[in-house]
Amino acid sequence: MQNPLKTIFPNFSNELIATIEDNGSQQSFEAGTILMRTGQYIKNTVLILKGKIKIYREGEDGGEFLMYYLQPGQACAISMICTAKSEKSQIMAKVVEDVTVMMIPLQLMDKWMMEHRSWYEFVIETYRSRFEEVLEVVDNIAFRSMDERLEFYLKRHSDACGCSEVKLSHQEIATELNTSREVVSRLLKKMEQRGLVKLNRNQIELLK
Amino acid sequence: MQNPLKTIFPNFSNELIATIEDNGSQQSFEAGTILMRTGQYIKNTVLILKGKIKIYREGEDGGEFLMYYLQPGQACAISMICTAKSEKSQIMAKVVEDVTVMMIPLQLMDKWMMEHRSWYEFVIETYRSRFEEVLEVVDNIAFRSMDERLEFYLKRHSDACGCSEVKLSHQEIATELNTSREVVSRLLKKMEQRGLVKLNRNQIELLK
DNA sequence: AATCTACAGTAACATTTATCACAGAAGGAT
DNA sequence: ATCCTTCTGTGATAAATGTTACTGTAGATT
């Protein structure tokens, strides 16, 4: 059987893989676990091997405004960025599907950046793609109305899971878009009337 | 007289300064110039020596949603990020006060990252601070109402210029917050009644 | 089967924000 | 001074979104 790390991070060099295995610590967390809180100091960089982590911004009222999801083969850009100076986190990270991660002590970050080309490229690409994703989020809330944002949100979800069924309650969607359940219900009903989705309990099927 | 680059970028090593002078090209642009457009390929990293550049997201209706400003001693994070793979820009950059910049060919980015510790640290810090700034923007539009956003916007401006007078028309503010002038006028009037600002033509004085 | 609970639908109303319409004021140009 | 343009103030109204209150329903629990 091939090295699982190599399978998940195919671009990493063999030396880097070996170094990660020597220095990282593999850990698992159950869905619901909060891995990072706003204001907390960050001590590790996290590579996702399995499962799904939600990165969000917490509102005073308990809103969980979705920034993006982390999936296998990805890493937390925030933890990489803050790492250099052990800065405070500005976001929340919550496990949404049981995860296995590789924790890497932050002081190794800088070292590896110099020593491993494939690590350097991975970090830069992680920054870039997350920055872009966040810009897109800004676009949505700045320029789009709730119905468009909802459509975009559903598409993102179905893209992420690779299927056309989104298994979420209206309340969960409302929380992540920072609106109310009633609004989500109303808009989804309209979308159903337009033939865009089919609604079931705890499940929304995208038709187009 | 001390080297101007060293004055503006005090953390750069002397060797790095020399390298920048050898390889960069100093250029000036007038207020109003658009330095970068959404969808354009990026060919240079830009260091700001003088003046001010606005980084914003363009809406279909011509909105110019403010992300942040670039000032002397700073660099465009986007151009650094995209650089590695000559990616397309996702944002717009417009000169708001006549600038002098140092343009650095993107292929030097990676090289310098390895060779100059002070460049590496500068790049990482640039990413980090911009990411944070954008997260704060998200917070504002996701969780705050227009009156709070307006207050925050004015504070940001006065912080940036280091003075308590913000020299902008209501229309300009409205454009950057993606709302309408009337709304801005009304909210400012309320702020004036609460004793938070003093309003003049093309100028808002912050009192608290 | 009876009960309970989380989820979903919907009407009525409140609030916020956007749009339209217009009037007046400040400052520059002639 | 007169004209012009830009900026500002404000009412009236429309539209989007948030809130309250209540109903029904599916599935789980007993």
Side-chain angles (χ1 to χ4, degrees):
Chain A
M1 172 194 163
Q2 210 199 348
N3 183 317
L5 254 181
K6 184 74 186 176
T7 315
I8 300 168
F9 296 91
N11 292 329
F12 284 2
S13 70
N14 292 331
E15 306 84 65
L16 175 57
I17 299 270
T19 314
I20 291 175
E21 280 171 343
D22 285 349
N23 294 281
S25 97
Q26 190 168 317
Q27 297 182 25
S28 292
F29 299 95
E30 285 182 5
T33 311
I34 301 218
L35 290 180
M36 208 184 287
R37 292 204 136 74
T38 310
Q40 238 178 15
Y41 283 97
I42 296 171
K43 300 185 194 67
N44 291 284
T45 290
V46 176
L47 300 181
I48 289 82
L49 306 180
K50 211 192 71 176
K52 189 150 104 178
I53 294 173
K54 174 170 126 184
I55 304 292
Y56 62 99
R57 208 60 178 176
E58 197 176 45
E60 283 140 7
D61 57 346
E64 302 190 352
F65 194 86
L66 177 66
M67 303 298 306
Y68 48 78
Y69 289 106
L70 293 180
Q71 300 195 291
Q74 304 182 331
C76 179
I78 315 275
S79 71
M80 290 171 147
I81 279 177
C82 297
T83 241
K85 294 188 177 165
S86 187
E87 294 278 347
K88 283 183 188 170
S89 157
Q90 301 295 316
I91 47 88
M92 303 278 292
K94 186 200 262 181
V95 178
V96 290
E97 286 170 18
D98 296 4
V99 290
T100 304
V101 300
M102 187 64 90
M103 306 281 255
I104 296 168
L106 58 83
Q107 62 268 30
L108 292 174
M109 270 283 302
D110 285 355
K111 193 162 170 283
W112 291 0
M113 287 291 275
M114 299 300 164
E115 293 174 0
H116 299 279
R117 182 76 197 173
S118 57
W119 177 255
Y120 170 81
E121 280 171 0
F122 176 73
V123 171
I124 297 284
E125 175 54 22
T126 297
Y127 284 171
R128 200 193 57 75
S129 62
R130 292 313 166 183
F131 205 99
E132 226 166 77
E133 201 151 2
V134 173
L135 283 179
E136 196 158 21
V137 169
V138 171
D139 250 36
N140 276 302
I141 36 180
F143 298 120
R144 317 245 169 251
S145 55
M146 198 49 90
D147 53 350
E148 292 177 289
R149 286 174 55 197
L150 179 57
E151 280 189 47
F152 183 80
Y153 173 90
L154 294 174
K155 247 179 224 127
R156 247 177 118 186
H157 260 273
S158 85
D159 287 351
C161 77
C163 65
S164 65
E165 285 92 34
V166 177
K167 290 189 177 15
L168 293 168
S169 71
H170 296 187
Q171 182 58 66
E172 287 175 289
I173 297 172
T175 302
E176 300 205 327
L177 291 173
N178 195 47
T179 180
S180 65
R181 184 199 50 86
E182 293 87 333
V183 172
V184 172
S185 288
R186 261 202 295 264
L187 294 176
L188 280 173
K189 210 65 199 167
K190 274 192 211 159
M191 284 177 72
E192 189 174 45
Q193 283 157 9
R194 285 194 291 149
L196 297 176
V197 295
K198 190 165 176 316
L199 301 179
N200 301 299
R201 191 187 174 83
N202 274 318
Q203 195 207 32
I204 297 156
E205 190 182 341
L206 301 200
L207 300 178
K208 290 183 181 173
Chain B
M1 173 192 163
Q2 212 198 346
N3 183 316
L5 256 181
K6 183 75 185 175
T7 314
I8 300 170
F9 296 92
N11 292 327
F12 284 2
S13 70
N14 292 329
E15 305 82 66
L16 176 56
I17 299 270
T19 313
I20 291 175
E21 280 171 344
D22 285 351
N23 295 281
S25 97
Q26 190 168 316
Q27 298 183 24
S28 293
F29 299 95
E30 283 181 6
T33 312
I34 301 221
L35 289 181
M36 207 184 287
R37 293 204 134 74
T38 309
Q40 237 178 13
Y41 284 97
I42 296 173
K43 299 185 195 67
N44 291 285
T45 290
V46 176
L47 301 181
I48 288 85
L49 305 181
K50 210 192 73 174
K52 190 149 103 179
I53 294 174
K54 173 169 125 184
I55 303 292
Y56 62 98
R57 208 60 178 177
E58 197 176 46
E60 283 141 8
D61 57 347
E64 302 190 354
F65 194 85
L66 176 66
M67 304 298 306
Y68 48 78
Y69 288 106
L70 294 181
Q71 301 194 287
Q74 305 183 331
C76 179
I78 316 274
S79 71
M80 290 171 146
I81 279 177
C82 296
T83 240
K85 294 187 179 166
S86 188
E87 294 278 346
K88 281 184 190 170
S89 158
Q90 300 297 313
I91 46 89
M92 303 280 289
K94 184 200 263 180
V95 179
V96 289
E97 287 170 18
D98 296 4
V99 290
T100 306
V101 299
M102 187 65 89
M103 307 281 258
I104 296 169
L106 58 82
Q107 61 268 32
L108 292 175
M109 270 285 301
D110 285 356
K111 192 159 170 285
W112 291 1
M113 287 290 274
M114 300 298 164
E115 292 173 1
H116 299 279
R117 182 75 195 174
S118 58
W119 177 255
Y120 170 80
E121 281 171 0
F122 176 73
V123 171
I124 296 284
E125 174 56 23
T126 296
Y127 285 170
R128 200 193 57 75
S129 61
R130 292 312 166 186
F131 205 100
E132 226 166 76
E133 202 151 3
V134 173
L135 283 179
E136 196 157 23
V137 168
V138 171
D139 249 37
N140 276 302
I141 37 181
F143 297 122
R144 318 243 169 253
S145 53
M146 199 48 91
D147 53 350
E148 294 178 288
R149 287 174 55 198
L150 179 58
E151 281 190 46
F152 184 81
Y153 173 89
L154 294 175
K155 251 180 221 124
R156 248 176 118 186
H157 260 272
S158 84
D159 286 351
C161 77
C163 64
S164 64
E165 287 90 36
V166 176
K167 291 191 178 10
L168 292 168
S169 72
H170 298 185
Q171 182 58 65
E172 288 176 287
I173 297 172
T175 303
E176 300 205 327
L177 291 173
N178 196 47
T179 179
S180 65
R181 186 202 48 87
E182 293 90 327
V183 172
V184 172
S185 287
R186 267 200 283 269
L187 293 176
L188 281 173
K189 211 62 197 164
K190 277 191 206 159
M191 285 177 71
E192 188 175 45
Q193 283 156 10
R194 286 194 291 149
L196 297 176
V197 295
K198 190 166 175 317
L199 301 179
N200 301 296
R201 191 184 172 89
N202 275 318
Q203 191 208 32
I204 298 157
E205 189 182 341
L206 302 199
L207 299 178
K208 292 186 181 173

